[in-house]
Amino acid sequence: MTAIQIPQRMDFTKVAPKVFKAVLALDAAAREGLDPVLLELVQIRASQINRCAYCIDYHTGDARKAGETEERMHQLSAWEESSLYTAKERAALALTEAVTRLPEGVPDHVYDEAARHFEESELAHLIALIFTVNTWNRMNVTTRKTPGTM
């Protein structure tokens, strides 16, 4: 079986380095105080929804380094039907889906459940992480960033 090469449209890091560095800074700030495994689950799930092959590849690698299991990563797209995730992780994943699919809105029950599991500062960072990964997804999908490249 021969893999199909999808050509990258642009190297965003070279064409718009100031924008790229600003998103990197936002990403670093958003991560503060969040559990490394949880933040990778959130980033993988948003990337699955947004169909960002580069980010799925990148964040599954980081999740493995953070100690995440293959089984939990494989079941992430069906997390609601899986018993492998804690109540806190489930609240974060529900919020991730609502924020990522923003035109559908963020229901009060989803926000309230997340607020029940995360202190206000931690919740603010989680929300920032979600909109930051969505920024990365949109940047990489639009430019067709190739998985496995930096």
Side-chain angles (χ1 to χ4, degrees):
M1 178 161 57
T2 304
I4 296 172
Q5 182 64 33
I6 309 279
Q8 186 168 315
R9 291 177 171 151
M10 149 193 328
D11 185 343
F12 199 88
T13 61
K14 290 182 181 170
V15 177
K18 287 183 179 179
V19 174
F20 182 76
K21 287 178 185 176
V23 178
L24 274 176
L26 177 61
D27 186 86
R31 291 168 176 262
E32 288 182 17
L34 293 176
D35 174 71
V37 171
L38 177 79
L39 73 86
E40 294 305 338
L41 289 174
V42 164
Q43 292 182 115
I44 294 166
R45 185 64 192 128
S47 300
Q48 288 172 335
I49 294 165
N50 290 322
R51 301 168 43 116
C52 183
Y54 177 85
C55 293
I56 293 168
D57 180 64
Y58 186 90
H59 292 296
T60 54
D62 281 356
R64 283 184 193 98
K65 291 175 192 168
E68 187 53 88
T69 67
E70 294 296 320
E71 184 179 23
R72 282 171 35 103
M73 286 190 289
H74 288 302
Q75 291 189 26
L76 190 54
S77 65
W79 66 268
E80 290 175 297
E81 288 77 33
S82 175
S83 62
L84 298 179
Y85 305 97
T86 67
K88 185 174 184 175
E89 290 168 338
R90 296 172 75 76
L93 292 169
L95 186 63
T96 299
E97 292 195 4
V99 173
T100 300
R101 295 180 173 126
L102 196 53
E104 297 172 20
V106 178
D108 288 339
H109 73 277
V110 170
Y111 185 89
D112 293 344
E113 182 65 11
R116 200 168 71 76
H117 291 280
F118 294 89
E119 294 178 14
E120 190 172 40
S121 174
E122 190 180 21
L123 181 58
H125 281 89
L126 176 61
I127 293 167
L129 179 74
I130 296 166
F131 65 69
T132 303
V133 71
N134 276 281
T135 299
W136 287 122
N137 291 162
R138 282 151 178 76
M139 183 187 311
N140 293 328
V141 168
T142 302
T143 63
R144 288 188 181 148
K145 184 142 177 85
T146 305
T149 64
M150 291 305 284

